Amino acid sequence: MKIKYLLTLIVIALTTSCEKDFLEPDSLSNFDLDYIYSNVDDARSGVNAIYSYFNQDAFRSRLSNNMTGNTDIEHQSGWASNGDRYQIWDLNALDSNRDLNIVWTYAYRSIRDANIAIKGIENSEVLNNGSEAEINTMNQLLGEAYTLRAYWYSMLAYHFGDVPYVTEAPVAGADFNLPKTDRNEILSGEIQALIDIEEKMKWADETSHGIEQVNREYTLGMIARLALQRGGYYLKPDLTMARNSDYLNYYQIARDYTQKLITLKDRILPADFRQVFLNQCKFISPVNEDVLFEVPFPIGGGDVGWNIGIRVEGSAQASHDYGSGGNYMAMPVTYYLSFDSNDKRREVTCGLYKITEEFETEFVNGPMNISQGKWSRHFLDPAPGKSSAKGTGINWPMMRYPDILLMFAEAENELNGPTAQAQEALKRVRQRAFDPADWAEGVDGYVAQVSTSKEAFFDAIVDERAWEFGGEMIRKYELIRWGIYSEKVQETVEGLKQLADEAFNGTTEYPDYMYWKLDESGEFQVLNPDFKVVAPPDDTWNRTSFLLDLHDDVTTYDEWITRDWENYINGPSAGVVRYVFPIPNVAIEASQGTLDNSGYGF
């Protein structure tokens, strides 16, 4: 039985009442822990409790996609409403924001359950004196607990800055009203914890649930990802960006641990980029391929294909049984046009079509509605039903092997420049993106061109990560740690204005109109995906205004162009993105004076 189905069955004494805050947890006695972790089956259930928080709104519709815009490749309008998610998109969230409270609360509940599991396993008689198989399983479970804890601390550091660092299981009499700990201290502690456990963990093909549970591959990748976060830039309370003087030590860790995974468990990237994500929509989770770990949403859980993915219009009267779904985060047309025309990832990543109630495929409504095309509820088999919406059960990718290759290339370049090893890692990612006939120009020629300097190669890594991971909602964190968040969104706004001006003036080389149709087999086709045509070859093509839609006769540019990223460019500190949010007032009130929202212009 897959872990995604197990998660629907978990009822464990370890979890506390939903009304309780992490600062007032139920205490567990040593007897409780000794009993629960006295065998591998109950220990497995204890660790599964940590996974269960992925199926809360805190993750499935917040951290996985809702809270990760706006960037240069994914965006949504925040100024149009005072609602919780709009406040977040506009970087203007209040401490009363319910979404922030949900994320804070469930992050610490997951951390609490991880700490309980860690203590229970480390003190378990089975871990110390069990059979070899039992000891190996308990070490794997311990690694899962540490890795899941590290994930939540990474997210808390990105979204709230310095936060309380809780590493002990709740016990009677302990003081859990902890003050903030420096984010760098937290990240350093979590990195070391993963380094200490990873060699005792199992590879995905050795576990019971493959890539639907944390495995050694993912933990190695998390060491690198956390190290790059720790070695990267971060926002200080005075609204300046900084990085610590020891940052190269963490780039070295990132290089070493990506290299370790490449050496010990390398794999060939599957040739079909689309199939990587189609697998998730078909509930197929192959090991030793692209995805290292994906959140195992149960059937009836998860919002992939509802608030992220190809738009599907549904109702009780629809001609199809796929229900309805859309996407909160659209792709700016500047991102779509940044792809090489031969890059096969663009067609997969950028959805130019939608499914209507009549179960017909149509072009999207203009350049601000390009969707994350990697997922769709109309890929589900069987169809989930006319009235379905949320709860598709489509898994969410937490890390893929191309991330390992590109993190290695980035760290190697930062330490040693664009070496042959760094270039080869970049080439491996690009090779899948192009047909072999195009490798001479699109892979070898391109990599040689961008490898003339450390700076040029870094810029190429920034671009490649955009093209490879578009729609997977990790771009925000990359722009933060690179220290170029405001710069990249400003480039996006200026690029959109230029496209609007050129389309309106008739000087554009890009599609002012798009021409599309369904071919004889019903397949969606676009005549001019990235170039302007005066007229279609025949009358079978439908014409849709495209770049011309960026222009407004009254305001010059569509309002979303000038307003969606305004607080990312000219916020409380011009040129610096205030991506850190206030700690929820509920948590502050419960902290008995240990927490506040000083700094960051709050």
Side-chain angles (χ1 to χ4, degrees):
M1 182 181 292
K2 290 187 177 181
I3 199 171
K4 70 186 296 178
Y5 302 111
L6 287 173
L7 292 182
T8 65
L9 306 176
I10 295 173
V11 180
I12 303 174
L14 294 178
T15 57
T16 65
S17 165
C18 291
E19 284 71 36
K20 280 190 173 287
D21 185 81
F22 87 102
L23 295 176
E24 297 179 306
D26 289 339
S27 297
L28 288 176
S29 69
N30 287 332
F31 174 81
D32 294 328
L33 290 179
D34 290 345
Y35 176 78
I36 293 169
Y37 292 95
S38 62
N39 63 85
V40 294
D41 291 335
D42 286 337
R44 171 77 269 173
S45 295
V47 173
N48 281 357
I50 314 169
Y51 287 89
S52 69
Y53 297 99
F54 284 134
N55 201 34
Q56 300 288 342
D57 275 352
F59 178 85
R60 68 187 180 199
S61 64
R62 267 72 169 183
L63 284 181
S64 63
N65 54 77
N66 192 3
M67 292 178 66
T68 53
N70 292 339
T71 71
D72 56 336
I73 70 174
E74 300 133 342
H75 89 287
Q76 186 52 273
S77 296
W79 45 270
S81 169
N82 290 323
D84 294 329
R85 66 174 179 262
Y86 295 91
Q87 292 178 13
I88 291 171
W89 294 333
D90 200 36
L91 298 184
N92 200 24
L94 304 175
D95 62 6
S96 58
N97 188 287
R98 291 166 298 176
D99 283 355
L100 294 179
N101 185 41
I102 288 172
V103 170
W104 177 277
T105 299
Y106 282 104
Y108 275 109
R109 287 180 184 171
S110 184
I111 288 167
R112 176 206 59 205
D113 285 358
N115 287 335
I116 290 170
I118 289 166
K119 180 177 180 179
I121 294 171
E122 289 183 338
N123 292 337
S124 171
E125 182 68 18
V126 180
L127 177 66
N128 297 300
N129 295 303
S131 67
E132 181 179 358
E134 288 175 326
I135 292 172
N136 290 340
T137 298
M138 293 295 270
N139 275 316
Q140 166 62 27
L141 293 172
L142 187 60
E144 291 179 42
Y146 271 118
T147 305
L148 292 170
R149 188 182 77 177
Y151 166 78
W152 285 104
Y153 272 125
S154 172
M155 292 297 100
L156 286 169
Y158 270 127
H159 291 287
F160 299 102
D162 299 341
V163 297
Y165 190 27
V166 186
T167 59
E168 301 293 331
V171 294
D175 182 9
F176 279 86
N177 292 317
L178 301 179
K180 297 177 185 177
T181 297
D182 184 282
R183 63 176 296 282
N184 290 314
E185 180 180 337
I186 295 172
L187 293 172
S188 296
E190 294 303 287
I191 291 166
Q192 189 59 54
L194 298 190
I195 288 174
D196 291 342
I197 192 61
E198 64 87 5
E199 289 189 349
K200 300 177 182 179
M201 296 178 67
K202 298 180 181 181
W203 302 112
D205 58 13
E206 298 173 330
T207 66
S208 301
H209 307 296
I211 62 172
E212 288 193 320
Q213 73 182 92
V214 169
N215 49 65
R216 190 180 178 191
E217 292 102 309
Y218 178 61
T219 298
L220 284 165
M222 277 297 291
I223 292 171
R225 183 175 282 182
L226 290 167
L228 291 177
Q229 180 180 0
R230 170 62 175 79
Y233 288 89
Y234 61 95
L235 184 66
K236 296 172 63 179
D238 64 359
L239 295 178
T240 61
M241 294 292 289
R243 76 192 316 180
N244 283 21
S245 59
D246 60 355
Y247 74 95
L248 286 180
N249 295 340
Y250 290 91
Y251 274 86
Q252 187 68 52
I253 291 173
R255 186 211 177 278
D256 290 347
Y257 281 86
T258 49
Q259 178 66 73
K260 187 172 187 177
L261 177 53
I262 293 168
T263 300
L264 296 177
K265 202 69 171 176
D266 197 11
R267 73 277 315 274
I268 298 172
L269 295 180
D272 189 341
F273 186 69
R274 182 182 298 279
Q275 190 63 46
V276 172
F277 309 98
L278 193 60
N279 282 343
Q280 292 167 335
C281 298
K282 300 295 185 183
F283 310 129
I284 302 169
S285 301
V287 297
N288 298 325
E289 291 194 10
D290 187 293
V291 178
L292 301 184
F293 169 54
E294 57 188 21
V295 171
F297 285 127
I299 301 301
D303 291 343
V304 185
W306 176 67
N307 67 350
I308 184 169
I310 296 292
R311 181 175 181 81
V312 177
E313 298 171 345
S315 71
Q317 293 75 41
S319 299
H320 62 80
D321 294 324
Y322 289 96
S324 59
N327 57 292
Y328 285 172
M329 289 284 168
M331 304 289 206
V333 68
T334 43
Y335 171 61
Y336 169 80
L337 291 173
S338 73
F339 282 87
D340 186 295
S341 59
N342 292 323
D343 191 329
K344 294 184 289 185
R345 294 172 296 191
R346 179 175 68 177
E347 182 180 359
V348 177
T349 302
C350 300
L352 295 181
Y353 70 92
K354 65 179 180 179
I355 305 298
T356 69
E357 286 193 20
E358 293 74 28
F359 203 43
E360 296 177 350
T361 305
E362 292 184 357
F363 197 85
V364 294
N365 299 325
M368 66 176 293
N369 289 302
I370 299 173
S371 63
Q372 293 94 339
K374 292 176 175 176
W375 307 276
S376 178
R377 63 190 308 109
H378 87 281
F379 297 152
L380 292 170
D381 186 16
K386 291 183 186 296
S387 62
S388 62
K390 295 169 69 73
T392 62
I394 299 172
N395 284 359
W396 181 254
M398 293 289 277
M399 188 177 292
R400 301 194 291 109
Y401 197 64
D403 203 345
I404 300 300
L405 296 172
L406 292 178
M407 285 193 292
F408 172 81
E410 178 185 345
E412 172 69 7
N413 179 63
E414 185 68 27
L415 294 165
N416 304 308
T419 63
Q421 285 181 293
Q423 293 180 47
E424 179 60 24
L426 177 57
K427 285 182 181 180
R428 289 185 61 183
V429 176
R430 289 186 66 82
Q431 283 170 348
R432 178 174 60 185
F434 294 86
D435 288 327
D438 297 322
W439 283 4
E441 180 179 354
V443 179
D444 298 333
Y446 173 84
V447 172
Q449 178 183 349
V450 302
S451 299
T452 55
S453 69
K454 177 179 177 180
E455 293 73 23
F457 195 82
F458 169 76
D459 290 342
I461 292 295
V462 171
D463 290 341
E464 200 66 38
R465 293 190 66 89
W467 297 323
E468 179 68 25
F469 302 113
E472 296 177 52
M473 314 312 289
I474 59 175
R475 185 66 166 180
K476 174 178 181 176
Y477 309 123
E478 297 166 354
L479 296 178
I480 290 169
R481 67 177 180 80
W482 288 329
I484 58 173
Y485 201 166
S486 187
E487 172 189 335
K488 296 302 288 186
V489 296
Q490 188 161 3
E491 286 179 11
T492 298
V493 172
E494 293 306 312
L496 289 166
K497 290 179 178 179
Q498 181 177 348
L499 290 174
D501 290 341
E502 292 175 351
F504 180 71
N505 295 331
T507 59
T508 186
E509 62 181 306
Y510 298 114
D512 49 1
Y513 293 94
M514 284 280 202
Y515 294 88
W516 66 276
K517 69 176 181 179
L518 303 182
D519 63 19
E520 294 179 355
S521 62
E523 293 296 316
F524 179 76
Q525 287 190 336
V526 176
L527 174 65
N528 57 321
D530 49 19
F531 55 90
K532 178 180 178 179
V533 297
V534 177
D538 55 60
D539 60 5
T540 63
W541 295 90
N542 302 286
R543 188 178 83 161
T544 298
S545 181
F546 197 58
L547 293 183
L548 280 171
D549 279 356
L550 300 176
H551 176 84
D552 185 281
D553 288 338
V554 177
T555 61
T556 305
Y557 308 109
D558 272 359
E559 197 171 12
W560 64 271
I561 295 175
T562 56
R563 297 193 65 175
D564 282 1
W565 291 276
E566 177 60 20
N567 280 342
Y568 295 73
I569 299 170
N570 296 308
S573 180
V576 176
V577 180
R578 186 179 67 175
Y579 63 85
V580 171
F581 295 117
I583 294 173
N585 56 14
V586 175
I588 291 177
E589 291 169 2
S591 72
Q592 299 183 20
T594 60
L595 297 178
D596 60 39
N597 273 317
S598 59
Y600 301 106
F602 298 140

